[in-house]
C-alpha cells in the first residue's frame, strides 16, 4: 500500500494545496480557482499521482456535503435584503427566467454540438445553469465593481445555486427512470425539497440569530463554532427529512442571520469567510483531481464550441431578456452578459451525477463530468481574467483613491471632515450614535449609521477606494481595531488612529506596528476634547509658521492645544508624528479656552503668528 493511499492524508494534502493555490492566485492577481484546478490536475492521478480522491470512497460525498453547507451559509450571510430590494426585479428574473434560458440553451448546445442524446443533454443544461458565488464574490471585490452590479451578480450566484442544484437532481431522477409519471413525481419532489429547505433554513436561522443577538448569552469565543455547527446541522437535518434539500436550508439560514442585528457579526462573517476559503480550496483540488485528462481531451474541440455557445450566445441572450425594461444601462448589460463563471456547486453535482449514472449503468456520466469541468475551467479563467479590464473599459469600477473615511461623527470628527470636504475631497463618516449622525447630516456630511468594525458597514463605505481612513472615537481600543482591520484586509488607505496619552493602553508603537499613523502626532485625551467641543469650550483659529526651519507638534502643552490640520500651499493634511510645519504653512489649531494663554505662548515661542480674519468656525456650545 502506497503512502498516498491513506484517505486522511489525501484530505490533508487537498486542504494544504488548496490554501497554497489560492495564496498564489492572490499574489499573481488571477482567480484562485484557476490555480486550484491546475493544482488538482497536476497533483492528481494522471500526473504526479499524489492526491488520489478515489481513496476517500463514500467519504468524499460527506466532505462535499459538509463543505457545501458552510459555503452556502456564508453566501447567505452576505445577502443584505436592503441591497437586494434595489435590484429585486433583475435578480428575480435572472434566478427564475434566466436559469430556464440557460438550461434550455445549454441543453440545445450540447445536443447539437456534442451529439449527445436528449437525456444527457438535459442533465448538462441543468448543471451549467448555475453561476458560482464562490467565484463571483472574490471577483467583484477584487475588481471593485459598482455596488449595483456586484449585488446582482452575488445574489444571482447564491440563489441560483440552490435552485439549480435541485433542478439538476430532479433531472437526474428523471434520467434514471424516464417515464411521464416519474417526471410528475420529480416535480413534486423538487417542490418539497425547496419548501422543506426554505422552512428549515428560516426557522433555524431565526433561532440562531435570536441566540446571537443576546449579548453574553453565547460565551465569548463560542459564537463562530455555534454558527458552524448550526449551519451543518440545518443542512443535514433538511437533507434527512427530504433528500437533497440541504442547500436551500443552509443558504436561507445564512441570509436570515446575516440580516438580523447579531452580536459580534463582523467576527462571525470573518470566520465564515476564512473557513469558506479553506473548504473551496479543498473541494476544487479533490474534484479536479478526480477528473481524468483523457476524459477531457476525448471531448475534442466540440467542447470548446459548447463553452463558446454558452458564453457568447446563451448568456448574452439571457441578460437581454431578463434586463428588458429595467434601468440598467447598456454598459451594465454588456458586463452582465459576459460574466457568468461556474463554480463549486456545478463541480460537486457533476461528480455526483457521474457516480450515480455509472452505478445505474447509463453511459455518458464520465463525459458529462468532463464537459462541466471544461465549462468551469474556461469560464473562470477567461471571465476571471477579463472582468477587471472590461469593467475598467466600460467605466463600471468604483472610484478608487478618493476621499476620507472617518470612524466617528463626534464634533471633533465633524470639524475635521468639514474642513477636508471644503477642499473638494469626498468625505464620509461612520457612527452608531443617533444624535451625532443627525448633526453630521445637518452639517452636510455623508454619514453611515452602523458599527464601523462590521464588514458590511465598511463595504458600504467603500473603504478600499479611500485615500485615508481616520479612527477618531473616544475609545482608543476601537480605533486600533479599526486600523488593524483595514490595514490587514484592505489595500490603499492611509490609516490614522487617535490614541490616549500615557504608557497604559494603546501605544504609538502598537499603531505604527500595524502600518498606521498616530493622529495629531501624539496621544491626546480625545474624550476630553470631544467633551469640551460639545460644551463650546474650544476655540479654533489659524496660524502661519514664520520660522525658516520646520516645527514639530509632538511637544506642545498637554491639554492646551490640538494641532488639527496643516496646509502647505493648496494641500491640506492631517497631522501625524512625522508632520512638521515649514515656513508659510498654515495650521488649524484647537485651543482649550481655559488654557488659551498657554496655547498662545507655545505657538508664539515656536514661530507661529495668528492669521487675522482667518478664524475658523467656532464650535457651538451644547452641540451634539
Amino acid at each position: 500500500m502506497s503512502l498516498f493511499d491513506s484517505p486522511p492524508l489525501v484530505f490533508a494534502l487537498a486542504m494544504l494545496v488548496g490554501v497554497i493555490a489560492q495564496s498564489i492566485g492572490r499574489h499573481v492577481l488571477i482567480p484562485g480557482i484557476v490555480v486550484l484546478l491546475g493544482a488538482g490536475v497536476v497533483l492528481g492521478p494522471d500526473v504526479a499521482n499524489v492526491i488520489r480522491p478515489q481513496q476517500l470512497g463514500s467519504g468524499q460525498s460527506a466532505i462535499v456535503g459538509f463543505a457545501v453547507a458552510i459555503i452556502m451559509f456564508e453566501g447567505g450571510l452576505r445577502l443584505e435584503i436592503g441591497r437586494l430590494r434595489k435590484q429585486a426585479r433583475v435578480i428575480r428574473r435572472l434566478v427564475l427566467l434566466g436559469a430556464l434560458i440557460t438550461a434550455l440553451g445549454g441543453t440545445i448546445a450540447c445536443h447539437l454540438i456534442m451529439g449527445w442524446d436528449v437525456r444527457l443533454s438535459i442533465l448538462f443544461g441543468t448543471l451549467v445553469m448555475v453561476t458560482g458565488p464562490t467565484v463571483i464574490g472574490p471577483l467583484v471585490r477584487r475588481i471593485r465593481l459598482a455596488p449595483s452590479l456586484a449585488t446582482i451578480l452575488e445574489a444571482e450566484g447564491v440563489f441560483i445555486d440552490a435552485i439549480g442544484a435541485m433542478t439538476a437532481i430532479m433531472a437526474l431522477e428523471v434520467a434514471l427512470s424516464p417515464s411521464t409519471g416519474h417526471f410528475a413525481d420529480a416535480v413534486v419532489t423538487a417542490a418539497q425539497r425547496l419548501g422543506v429547505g426554505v422552512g428549515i433554513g428560516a426557522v433555524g436561522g431565526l433561532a440562531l440569530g435570536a441566540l446571537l443577538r443576546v449579548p453574553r448569552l453565547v460565551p465569548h469565543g463560542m459564537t463562530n463554532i455555534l454558527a458552524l455547527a448550526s449551519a451543518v446541522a440545518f443542512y443535514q437535518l433538511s437533507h434527512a427529512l427530504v433528500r437533497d434539500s440541504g442547500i436551500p436550508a443552509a443558504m436561507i439560514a445564512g441570509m436570515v442571520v446575516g440580516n438580523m442585528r447579531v452580536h459580534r457579526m463582523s467576527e462571525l462573517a470573518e470566520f465564515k469567510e476564512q473557513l469558506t476559503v479553506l473548504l473551496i480550496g479543498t473541494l476544487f483540488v479533490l474534484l479536479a483531481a478526480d477528473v481524468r485528462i483523457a476524459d477531457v481531451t476525448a471531448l475534442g474541440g466540440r467542447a470548446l464550441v459548447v463553452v463558446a455557445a454558452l458564453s457568447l450566445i446563451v448568456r448574452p441572450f439571457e441578460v437581454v431578456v431578463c434586463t428588458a425594461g429595467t434601468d440598467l444601462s447598456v454598459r451594465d448589460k454588456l458586463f452582465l452578459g459576459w460574466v457568468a463563471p461556474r463554480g463549486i456547486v456545478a463541480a460537486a453535482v457533476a461528480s455526483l451525477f457521474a457516480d450515480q449514472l455509472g452505478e445505474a449503468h447509463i453511459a455518458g456520466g464520465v463525459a458529462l463530468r468532463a464537459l462541466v469541468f471544461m465549462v468551469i475551467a474556461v469560464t473562470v479563467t477567461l471571465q476571471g481574467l477579463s472582468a477587471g479590464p472590461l469593467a475598467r473599459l466600460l467605466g463600471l469600477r468604483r472610484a478608487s483613491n478618493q476621499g476620507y473615511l472617518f470612524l466617528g461623527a463626534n464634533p471633533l470628527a465633524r470639524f475635521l471632515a468639514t474642513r477636508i470636504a471644503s477642499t473638494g475631497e469626498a468625505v464620509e463618516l461612520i457612527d452608531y450614535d443617533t444624535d451625532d449622525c443627525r448633526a453630521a447630516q445637518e452639517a452636510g456630511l455623508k454619514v453611515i449609521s452602523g458599527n464601523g468594525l462590521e464588514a458590511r458597514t465598511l463595504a458600504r463605505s467603500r473603504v478600499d477606494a479611500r485615500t485615508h481612513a481616520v479612527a477618531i472615537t473616544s475609545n482608543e481600543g476601537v480605533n486600533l481595531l479599526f486600523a488593524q482591520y483595514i490595514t490587514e484586509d484592505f489595500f490603499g488607505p492611509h490609516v490614522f488612529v487617535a490614541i490616549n496619552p500615557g504608557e497604559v493602553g494603546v501605544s504609538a508603537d502598537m499603531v505604527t506596528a500595524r502600518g498606521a499613523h498616530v493622529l495629531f502626532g501624539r496621544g491626546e485625551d480625545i474624550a476630553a476634547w470631544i467633551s469640551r467641543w460639545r460644551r463650546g469650550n474650544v476655540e479654533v483659529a489659524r496660524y502661519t509658521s514664520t520660522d525658516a526651519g520646520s516645527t514639530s507638534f509632538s511637544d506642545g502643552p498637554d491639554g492646551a492645544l490640538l494641532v488639527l490640520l496643516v496646509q502647505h500651499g493648496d494641500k491640506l493634511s492631517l497631522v501625524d508624528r512625522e508632520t512638521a510645519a515649514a515656513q508659510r504653512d498654515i495650521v488649524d489649531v484647537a485651543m482649550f479656552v481655559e488654557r488659551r494663554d498657554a496655547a498662545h505662548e507655545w505657538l508664539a515661542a515656536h514661530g507661529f503668528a495668528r492669521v487675522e480674519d482667518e478664524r475658523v468656525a467656532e464650535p457651538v456650545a451644547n452641540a451634539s
Side-chain angles (χ1 to χ4, degrees):
M1 178 177 175
S2 170
L3 170 67
F4 297 109
D5 285 335
S6 167
L9 181 59
V10 171
F11 182 66
L13 287 175
M15 281 199 301
L16 178 61
V17 171
V19 173
I20 294 173
Q22 292 182 91
S23 300
I24 293 173
R26 291 191 182 184
H27 280 298
V28 299
L29 299 179
I30 64 174
I33 291 179
V34 175
V35 188
L36 288 169
L37 291 173
V41 172
V42 170
L43 296 176
D46 285 338
V47 184
N49 198 23
V50 172
I51 296 178
R52 305 172 182 178
Q54 67 273 15
Q55 299 301 321
L56 295 174
S58 60
Q60 184 166 339
S61 62
I63 294 171
V64 170
F66 174 85
V68 169
I70 302 301
I71 291 168
M72 295 305 296
F73 185 85
E74 195 268 341
L77 281 177
R78 294 183 174 278
L79 296 179
E80 294 183 46
I81 292 177
R83 291 172 58 197
L84 293 179
R85 287 197 186 105
K86 297 179 181 178
Q87 302 295 338
R89 188 181 182 188
V90 176
I91 294 169
R92 185 169 55 248
R93 287 182 179 181
L94 285 172
V95 170
L96 299 176
L97 178 59
L100 177 61
I101 292 173
T102 303
L104 290 174
T107 299
I108 294 170
C110 185
H111 181 63
L112 295 180
I113 299 170
M114 299 300 297
W116 292 357
D117 62 37
V118 174
R119 177 172 56 180
L120 205 58
S121 297
I122 290 175
L123 288 178
F124 173 77
T126 56
L127 281 170
V128 297
M129 67 189 285
V130 301
T131 58
T134 57
V135 185
I136 289 290
L139 179 64
V140 299
R141 289 191 291 274
R142 179 170 59 85
I143 66 176
R144 295 175 177 173
L145 187 64
S148 59
L149 288 179
T151 297
I152 292 172
L153 286 170
E154 288 184 305
E156 178 194 14
V158 173
F159 283 117
I160 210 170
D161 258 5
I163 294 174
M166 289 188 300
T167 303
I169 291 168
M170 180 185 76
L172 177 64
E173 291 180 353
V174 175
L176 294 176
S177 181
S179 67
T180 304
H182 191 79
F183 176 77
D185 291 340
V187 173
V188 173
T189 302
Q192 289 177 338
R193 288 193 182 107
L194 183 60
V196 170
V198 170
I200 293 292
V203 173
L206 286 171
L208 176 60
L211 289 175
L212 298 179
R213 286 185 67 178
V214 181
R216 293 184 296 278
L217 178 61
V218 179
H220 183 69
M222 301 289 287
T223 301
N224 292 331
I225 57 177
L226 174 62
L228 167 64
S230 299
V232 176
F234 300 151
Y235 178 93
Q236 294 296 349
L237 174 61
S238 186
H239 179 77
L241 291 174
V242 176
R243 189 168 58 88
D244 300 317
S245 64
I247 290 179
M251 185 268 291
I252 292 296
M255 189 171 69
V256 169
V257 173
N259 284 276
M260 298 175 69
R261 295 185 178 276
V262 171
H263 187 52
R264 295 195 292 270
M265 183 64 198
S266 58
E267 179 185 337
L268 174 62
E270 181 179 358
F271 172 75
K272 282 290 180 291
E273 185 173 357
Q274 292 175 343
L275 189 58
T276 297
V277 169
L278 174 65
L279 294 174
I280 289 171
T282 304
L283 282 191
F284 262 113
V285 169
L286 287 174
L287 295 175
D290 209 23
V291 177
R292 296 293 179 269
I293 296 176
D295 296 335
V296 176
T297 56
L299 297 174
R302 293 176 300 172
L304 293 176
V305 178
V306 171
V307 179
L310 287 172
S311 301
L312 302 178
I313 299 174
V314 177
R315 176 64 178 186
F317 177 71
E318 171 195 354
V319 170
V320 168
V321 172
C322 294
T323 59
T326 66
D327 57 358
L328 292 179
S329 67
V330 174
R331 294 178 302 162
D332 295 334
K333 295 176 183 179
L334 284 173
F335 189 84
L336 289 175
W338 171 243
V339 178
R342 274 61 178 184
I344 193 68
V345 171
V349 179
S351 293
L352 170 68
F353 281 18
D355 293 339
Q356 294 195 13
L357 288 172
E359 292 172 2
H361 304 290
I362 297 176
V366 172
L368 174 66
R369 177 174 60 188
L371 184 57
V372 170
F373 268 84
M374 175 72 80
V375 172
I376 294 171
V378 175
T379 57
V380 167
T381 302
L382 291 183
Q383 296 173 15
L385 294 176
S386 63
L390 179 61
R392 188 183 304 112
L393 178 66
L394 297 174
L396 299 176
R397 298 182 69 176
R398 288 183 282 128
S400 60
N401 299 324
Q402 291 185 354
Y404 287 65
L405 176 68
F406 284 83
L407 177 66
N410 54 69
L412 176 53
R414 295 200 300 269
F415 174 83
L416 291 172
T418 301
R419 280 286 289 122
I420 292 171
S422 69
T423 66
E425 287 277 4
V427 173
E428 195 162 28
L429 299 87
I430 300 175
D431 208 317
Y432 52 78
D433 184 279
T434 304
D435 292 335
D436 280 339
C437 288
R438 182 169 53 249
Q441 290 172 337
E442 292 173 353
L445 298 168
K446 187 175 181 180
V447 188
I448 295 176
S449 179
N451 185 348
L453 299 182
E454 288 188 350
R456 64 173 58 199
T457 304
L458 287 175
R460 289 170 57 196
S461 72
R462 304 186 299 279
V463 63
D464 56 332
R466 303 295 184 185
T467 57
H468 295 79
V470 186
I472 189 169
T473 74
S474 57
N475 187 325
E476 64 175 355
V478 169
N479 294 342
L480 186 66
L481 284 174
F482 177 79
Q484 180 174 329
Y485 190 91
I486 292 177
T487 54
E488 289 180 354
D489 293 353
F490 300 94
F491 299 98
H494 297 285
V495 184
F496 289 79
V497 180
I499 62 175
N500 293 329
E503 300 298 326
V504 179
V506 178
S507 67
D509 290 340
M510 294 169 65
V511 173
T512 55
R514 286 162 175 78
H517 305 270
V518 177
L519 188 61
F520 308 125
R522 63 179 187 174
E524 294 283 355
D525 191 341
I526 301 300
W529 278 104
I530 292 173
S531 177
R532 294 165 186 166
W533 221 292
R534 293 188 192 281
R535 298 195 306 269
N537 287 339
V538 175
E539 176 186 309
V540 183
R542 289 185 188 152
Y543 286 77
T544 185
S545 176
T546 61
D547 197 320
S550 61
T551 304
S552 173
F553 306 113
S554 60
D555 60 346
D558 292 339
L561 62 83
L562 201 60
V563 180
L564 304 171
L565 297 159
V566 175
Q567 183 176 336
H568 180 75
D570 295 330
K571 183 180 179 181
L572 193 64
S573 303
L574 293 167
V575 174
D576 64 10
R577 298 173 78 182
E578 307 301 322
T579 303
Q583 192 173 27
R584 289 191 294 276
D585 282 354
I586 297 175
V587 297
D588 288 2
V589 181
M591 294 174 285
F592 180 29
V593 172
E594 296 178 9
R595 298 196 59 198
R596 185 165 35 199
D597 292 342
H600 284 311
E601 289 176 8
W602 186 89
L603 289 165
H606 287 77
F608 287 96
R610 182 77 171 260
V611 179
E612 299 299 331
D613 300 325
E614 286 267 358
R615 187 184 182 89
V616 185
E618 184 99 17
V620 179
N622 299 320
S624 296

